Amino acid sequence: MKRIALFPGSFDPLTMGHLDTIERGAKLFDELIIGVFVNTTKKSLFTGEERLALVKASVAHIENVRVITQAQKLTVEVAEELGAKFLLRGIRSVKDYEYEKEIALMNRHLDNHLESVFLLAAPEYSHISSSILKEVMIFDGDVKEYLPQPVYEALEKKREQIEK
Ligand code: ADP
């Protein structure tokens, strides 16, 4: 049976930290599906369509990865529909661990056949988040090395729109 994992997230926008987790995760499973979802606790800069397109453009080089989006639905339900038995997430710090633990244990309560798998963030990316990169970029700071090329270009456009 194919080992399929779902990597859910808001990816607003995708960073090199996410991409590194995706590249490493893709080696662990037969198929890795990136789920571009809405996080109801966060206000997003990019629309769902924009976030989806940016993830697609940034992972096109990885053979066993595909990208989906889904209107508001429980992650466990999406995983079941996709035949995914694993959820992939990344951990940068103790703060992430506490947050990820809550989510993983709730998902386990909802579906105890679904296993959450965590990858530690690479040291070169463990201090970055979508939020901090957006903030620095909007004020003209140089964060190019932390963003996949399509995302960098999209953020530059957003900055120009904001400046007008
Ligand atoms: P969510 O809104 O669901 O938390 P995010 O897009 O913020 O979605 O993050 C998705 C996942 O990627 C989370 O597990 C998060 O911990 C992980 N992640 C975020 N930034 C990084 C990074 N720099 N390196 C590795 N993993 C990361």
Side-chain angles (χ1 to χ4, degrees):
M1 226 176 79
K2 256 177 96 177
R3 292 165 77 83
I4 305 173
L6 172 65
F7 182 11
S10 44
F11 308 110
D12 183 46
L14 186 85
T15 69
M16 289 304 276
H18 293 129
L19 189 56
D20 179 67
T21 303
I22 293 168
E23 284 172 346
R24 288 158 58 208
K27 293 183 188 144
L28 300 177
F29 305 101
D30 296 313
E31 185 176 24
L32 177 62
I33 305 173
I34 319 295
V36 179
F37 298 150
V38 174
N39 185 331
T40 50
T41 67
K42 296 180 184 170
K43 195 180 163 290
S44 65
L45 176 67
F46 290 94
T47 66
E49 268 176 33
E50 288 170 330
R51 289 181 283 122
L52 179 72
L54 290 173
V55 177
K56 279 188 175 169
S58 309
V59 303
H61 62 289
I62 320 169
E63 210 176 286
N64 60 334
V65 169
R66 69 184 167 103
V67 192
I68 61 151
T69 188
Q70 176 74 56
Q72 306 251 350
K73 207 181 231 187
L74 285 175
T75 302
V76 295
E77 281 178 23
V78 181
E80 191 178 357
E81 285 167 12
L82 295 166
K85 297 269 187 281
F86 306 93
L87 289 178
L88 178 69
R89 297 279 288 180
I91 291 191
R92 286 162 291 186
S93 61
V94 170
K95 195 169 133 231
D96 270 357
Y97 168 77
E98 294 291 346
Y99 174 64
E100 295 295 337
K101 179 179 157 191
E102 268 184 25
I103 299 174
L105 292 182
M106 181 50 71
N107 284 334
R108 184 189 168 99
H109 161 77
L110 296 171
D111 179 354
N112 65 5
H113 298 297
L114 190 60
E115 201 64 69
S116 292
V117 175
F118 303 96
L119 286 182
L120 273 190
E124 62 272 35
Y125 300 132
S126 65
H127 60 297
I128 60 161
S129 62
S130 301
S131 333
I132 198 160
L133 296 181
K134 283 185 283 192
E135 177 113 19
V136 175
M137 179 96 186
I138 293 299
F139 293 111
D140 272 344
D142 178 10
V143 285
K144 198 165 187 212
E145 72 197 83
Y146 296 123
L147 295 164
Q149 188 63 23
V151 178
Y152 180 73
E153 287 166 16
L155 259 173
E156 278 209 311
K157 279 202 191 117
K158 283 270 177 212
R159 180 171 59 197
E160 284 162 18
Q161 284 166 6
I162 291 167
E163 278 167 2
K164 270 179 200 156

